[in-house]
Amino acid sequence: MKNFQTLIDETLQAEDIEELESAADLFQFGIEKGHYNKRQADEFNTAYWKVKNKCLAYEIAEQVKANTLDIIYIVSNAPANIKSNSSDLLDYVNGRLKALKGKINNR
């Protein structure tokens, strides 16, 4: 079983969702075997979502012409159930960007 800090470091360095899901599977296996505790589970969850939000945002940024940092912020704050469906997430991001654009233009 991997050292917890090594697993976190590798998770934070994941370059795509496939690598991230592999890390999540490995962590889940470690949880089932009792190698990790609640605090470590919380820390892994935070690292997992940080990387997943970034990966999802970069996928959306390929389809949407907008500031990547804005897209990362929107994706990070999107409801979790939307993040599992790429078309719903794209619609959500487009809607938030239109709302943001409307607020900027009205000032």
Side-chain angles (χ1 to χ4, degrees):
M1 185 55 32
K2 286 192 178 212
N3 173 320
F4 178 71
Q5 193 56 49
T6 302
L7 180 61
I8 290 293
D9 292 342
E10 289 177 3
T11 300
L12 290 171
Q13 294 172 5
E15 295 182 8
D16 58 30
I17 291 181
E18 289 177 18
E19 282 184 44
L20 181 63
E21 293 304 324
S22 293
D25 290 343
L26 186 58
F27 183 75
Q28 182 62 36
F29 178 76
I31 286 286
E32 290 170 0
K33 295 294 183 182
H35 295 289
Y36 304 121
N37 60 36
K38 171 77 168 109
R39 181 193 58 76
Q40 290 170 321
D42 291 341
E43 187 176 341
F44 181 83
N45 192 43
T46 300
Y48 173 86
W49 280 106
K50 179 180 180 179
V51 174
K52 184 157 186 176
N53 287 335
K54 198 174 189 181
C55 289
L56 290 171
Y58 284 133
E59 287 179 8
I60 296 291
E62 291 176 3
Q63 302 172 39
V64 175
K65 300 253 185 208
N67 182 311
T68 304
L69 292 176
D70 288 340
I71 295 172
I72 291 171
Y73 178 79
I74 292 168
V75 168
S76 295
N77 291 299
N81 63 330
I82 290 176
K83 293 178 185 180
S84 62
N85 184 318
S86 60
S87 64
D88 287 348
L89 183 59
L90 181 61
D91 291 343
Y92 179 83
V93 169
N94 280 326
R96 298 307 308 151
L97 288 170
K98 286 178 186 175
L100 180 62
K101 191 174 185 178
K103 288 181 182 179
I104 293 171
N105 288 340
N106 289 334
R107 290 188 175 176

